[in-house]
Amino acid sequence: MNKIENTNIAQATAHFENLLREQLARAEKMANAQPPKDFKTIDKITVGFCGGDGIGPIIMKETRRVLETLLADELAEGRLIFKDIEGLTIENRTAKGKAIPDDVLAEIKTCDVILKGPTETPKGGTLESANVSMRRELDLYANVRPVTVPEEGIDWIFYRENTEGEYALGSKGIEVPGVLAMDFKVTTDCGTKRIARAAFEYARKNGKTNVAIVTKANIMKKTDGKFSKLCHEVAADYPEITAEDWYIDIMTANLIKKGRRSQFQVFVLPNLYGDIITDEAAEIQGGVGTAGSANIGDCYAMFEAIHGSAPRMMEEGRGEYANPSSLIKASELLLRHIGMTEAADRLTDAMAACDKEKAVVITNHKDGATCKEFADYVISKL
């Protein structure tokens, strides 16, 4: 072994030790977390709006207009406060060299919940995803994504662990130039148990009888093996619910198997697999533009569209034809989270009516409706 190799190994070992200490500290912090926020005890709820990049500000503007119409009384009475948060843009994040600049994060933390447009993450480099950073900084450990296709008997809800796995350390790998590169994956006991508990609690409260635990535990024996084992430990507290193990590869096949897929109900799965499979599920529903996403922690929550910032649409001058459905559906999840169930039901019914009638259809091209026209259509159905 030559001197250069020894140096690389020493540097990598020191780097890994720092990562391990960071993750042990994070695990200890989780073990001493505060009790979840109870919105029934909060007189004024502050909702922050982050437009993001690309089509983000366009779909955010129209989604906010829908919410302002739906929640006019609550806003007038001061029960809700809407707050614009500037600076979560690729230009500002790049200029400051931070996934979420400090002043923007401080503003976000003044809000109880956040509605966020898609944000761009550069390929390569060291700038971390704003989503990953926000989930970590606010400890938004549960990524919740519902998918429904009633005519096919599909009523799925995915509980994706949101702060661990490959995403927690994916920007902190090591490289021996010209030879190899390694990234890391982390699974903690506390992190796994709390996402499992969230999934099984949802199943119990909503009369579901089956939870699919999706991993690749036959290959990733330490991390995914731990995830599966701990989920089954939590499942023991819910004897009325069947917990089934599935590997991620066969589950991706099952979701497109029409004779099988309607049998699934609730899914709980690690971060990376959840990211991939929920996009597949959204496509079955009608595309990633049709699905909303909740990112929930004990103190904060962030709700977003599951699609990206669509730079190609912007480059081609089609931004105004972007579909706001995903962000509108995310706002429905936001309303349910803060206890405004009646308003959420009204929004759900309005979106369902629009989907059924299809009097105004968005195609993301100039042969379809604009984002504003679709928002007007939703407002007319409230």
Side-chain angles (χ1 to χ4, degrees), residues 40-114:
K40 294 178 182 177
T41 66
I42 301 175
D43 294 329
K44 294 183 179 181
I45 299 171
T46 301
V47 181
F49 293 83
C50 300
D53 300 310
I55 62 171
I58 297 170
I59 61 175
M60 181 63 75
K61 177 182 177 182
E62 299 307 326
T63 299
R64 177 167 177 162
R65 195 160 60 86
V66 170
L67 290 176
E68 286 172 343
T69 303
L70 176 67
L71 303 168
D73 291 342
E74 289 81 0
L75 288 166
E77 294 166 2
R79 288 177 56 204
L80 279 181
I81 298 170
F82 282 3
K83 180 176 184 178
D84 286 315
I85 297 175
E86 306 293 340
L88 198 67
T89 63
I90 186 62
E91 293 83 8
N92 190 42
R93 290 182 284 127
T94 301
K96 295 187 176 178
K98 283 200 166 185
I100 305 177
D102 293 342
D103 57 336
V104 179
L105 182 60
E107 282 294 295
I108 287 171
K109 287 184 175 180
T110 65
C111 303
D112 296 295
V113 289
I114 297 292

Side-chain angles (χ1 to χ4, degrees), residues 268-334:
V268 60
L269 59 178
N271 206 336
L272 177 60
Y273 310 144
D275 190 8
I276 295 168
I277 205 170
T278 51
D279 278 6
E280 180 195 19
E283 193 65 29
I284 294 167
Q285 180 176 254
V288 293
T290 69
S293 175
N295 300 267
I296 298 171
D298 291 333
C299 295
Y300 302 97
M302 180 266 283
F303 301 81
E304 62 180 341
I306 74 167
H307 56 72
S309 58
R312 184 176 298 176
M313 285 187 70
M314 297 300 292
E315 290 168 5
E316 295 175 357
R318 295 186 285 116
E320 66 180 304
Y321 295 91
N323 191 341
S325 295
S326 183
L327 197 60
I328 293 173
K329 289 187 177 182
S331 67
E332 179 231 313
L333 297 174
L334 183 156

Side-chain angles (χ1 to χ4, degrees), residues 205-222:
K205 290 176 182 177
N206 290 274
K208 305 299 182 182
T209 58
N210 183 278
V211 173
I213 303 164
V214 185
T215 67
K216 194 63 177 169
N218 56 332
I219 302 299
M220 307 300 292
K221 296 182 185 293
K222 294 295 184 185

